[in-house]
Amino acid sequence: MTPGSVLAEFVAAFGHEPAGVWAAPGRVNLIGEHTDYNDGFVLPLALPLRTLVAARVSGGPSTVASVQEDGETVRFDAATVVPADVPGWAGYVAGVVWAFREAGLPVVDLELLVDGNVPVGAGLSSSAALECAVAVALAELAALTPDRTELARLARRAENDFVGAPTGGMDQMVSLYGEAGGLVFLDTRTEEIEHIPFDLAAQGLELLVIDTRAPHALVDGQYGARRADCARAAELLGVPALRDATLDGVDSLADERLRRRARHVVTENARVLDVVGMLKAGEDPREIGPLLTASHASLRDDFEVTVPHLDVAADVAAAAGAHGARMTGGGFGGCVIALCDADRSGAVAEAVTEAYAARGWDSPAAFPAVPSAGAHRLA
Ligand code: GLA
């Protein structure tokens, strides 16, 4: 998939050239999991895996097609489309158009073709990549100049209120603010961004992404349930969000489950700040490994969003020499990241593959996470 191939696909689908080609990346989160909807801190990076859209303004209705969906074509009217009109993958496209309109921005109908290599359902934010690619394309084609934070809010609105997934704002922010060579340190309360250099290759390191290919089960319901637990815990503690809770406060919660949920959020926020402090102080990135592993334990024991595929991958990676390993993303399947010496990463991936085979599980996929640029125009 290249800008040229997407352009050619557009011509094949619509019979003329697009006005441009835009791209937006998927992500992994280094640390700061299930903190974004608690007004907390996250530290993701944008991946080289990305979604491309070729588009131009049309006379309407909007017509969208996707290479991944065998060229399936979906139509809707930008001026009138509402949630439930457009199910499935095209809802992420229509949802962005709808979010612009809901925000009072003038919208235009589009011809739009989607292509991408962010695996769907792997927890690498293929949905945010699609939303953000559409958002930057639509803004430019409608001659609008919202800043990146505003674009991220619009993309998230599409996900939350059109598609109906109650996610936080991390994925859209990193898809828009990603930078080659760096992490995106985001304070989700203030929406302040700081780029933290993360040149692992220079240190002989690699951040290995292990896609467990575990089937996602009950993700939506479980994610919503965790959000509700966090909101309830904050309410009982009398704080605006768990970002404001202390460990002493958390210990005072009578409900054992809520206590564990809140403890994860409070300790996870502290781990993000520790990692940021260490990286900014120029410490050897190997030193953050134990914090990654501690994050996994907290997500497993306190937040309860791991599954055996994630636990086995994280444990086996650490035993095979990774400096630290943890699940990344929402959980219940998806990916594990392992911080490895570059010359050990092949052995780490191999060890996880063997452990899966011994359990009769499908082989995982593994690739290095290289911090990459956020959404932008390609052609
Ligand atoms: C999913 C959501 C994000 C975030 C993570 C957990 O990826 O889309 O907003 O909540 O889960 O950190």
Side-chain angles (χ1 to χ4, degrees):
M1 181 198 63
T2 62
S5 72
V6 177
L7 202 136
E9 292 279 358
F10 184 98
V11 173
F14 296 107
H16 43 237
E17 299 249 320
V21 179
W22 292 262
R27 63 98 187 90
V28 288
N29 188 16
L30 182 66
I31 195 160
E33 220 64 85
H34 289 276
T35 50
D36 64 350
Y37 53 83
N38 290 299
D39 275 5
F41 305 102
V42 295
L43 191 60
L45 60 98
L47 292 170
L49 300 172
R50 58 194 188 170
T51 298
L52 269 54
V53 302
R56 68 179 237 164
V57 175
S58 78
S62 286
T63 310
V64 301
S66 162
V67 173
Q68 276 66 49
E69 304 293 331
D70 295 326
E72 185 200 357
T73 297
V74 177
R75 291 191 170 76
F76 61 87
D77 278 305
T80 57
V81 68
V82 289
D85 278 0
V86 186
W89 67 272
Y92 294 93
V93 180
V96 171
V97 176
W98 170 84
F100 273 60
R101 205 182 74 219
E102 285 282 296
L105 299 169
V107 291
V108 289
D109 274 301
L110 300 174
E111 288 170 340
L112 185 141
L113 181 109
V114 180
D115 197 2
N117 58 11
V118 190
V120 173
L124 299 174
S125 289
S126 61
S127 58
L130 176 54
E131 291 150 9
C132 292
V134 172
V136 288
L138 178 60
E140 193 173 332
L141 291 172
L144 304 169
T145 53
D147 68 20
R148 289 193 166 244
T149 302
E150 183 58 26
L151 285 174
R153 285 192 205 116
L154 292 165
R156 179 186 174 190
R157 181 97 207 271
E159 174 112 21
N160 291 170
D161 299 332
F162 195 98
V163 176
T167 57
M170 164 172 71
D171 306 338
Q172 292 79 12
M173 285 293 269
V174 61
S175 188
L176 282 152
Y177 278 105
E179 266 192 7
L183 300 162
V184 176
F185 173 39
L186 167 66
D187 178 336
T188 63
R189 169 169 280 164
T190 63
E191 294 181 319
E192 247 175 282
I193 291 272
E194 189 180 353
H195 286 108
I196 311 284
F198 196 54
D199 185 0
L200 291 179
Q203 310 267 354
L205 285 166
E206 200 170 282
L207 186 67
L208 189 68
V209 182
I210 302 162
D211 177 358
T212 66
R213 292 180 165 150
H216 277 243
L218 297 169
V219 177
D220 291 351
Q222 291 290 345
Y223 187 93
R226 294 304 179 281
R227 280 198 74 144
D229 279 355
C230 290
R232 179 76 185 129
E235 192 187 349
L236 289 169
L237 291 169
V239 291
L242 285 182
R243 148 73 169 272
D244 307 298
T246 62
L247 272 185
D248 281 348
V250 167
D251 284 342
S252 75
L253 284 167
D255 184 289
E256 201 261 339
R257 190 185 77 231
L258 294 184
R259 198 160 64 231
R260 283 188 289 115
R261 302 292 189 254
R263 185 166 61 206
H264 165 71
V265 175
V266 171
T267 59
E268 184 77 351
N269 276 326
R271 283 185 287 269
V272 177
L273 297 179
D274 282 351
V275 168
V276 168
M278 290 163 83
L279 293 176
K280 283 173 78 169
E283 286 185 38
D284 184 337
R286 288 168 183 82
E287 302 296 325
I288 71 171
L291 291 166
L292 302 184
T293 302
S295 168
H296 186 89
S298 179
L299 288 156
R300 182 191 59 215
D301 302 335
D302 280 347
F303 217 65
E304 295 180 289
V305 291
T306 70
V307 289
H309 280 72
L310 291 167
D311 294 335
V312 167
D315 289 351
V316 170
H323 299 288
R326 60 178 290 273
M327 56 150 275
T328 185
F332 305 105
C335 293
V336 161
I337 49 171
L339 182 66
C340 309
D341 289 331
D343 58 9
R344 285 293 300 167
S345 75
V348 168
E350 190 50 38
V352 176
T353 303
E354 278 170 19
Y356 274 33
R359 288 166 176 77
W361 297 348
D362 289 345
S363 286
F367 61 92
V370 178
S372 301
H376 60 286
R377 184 173 179 153
L378 286 176

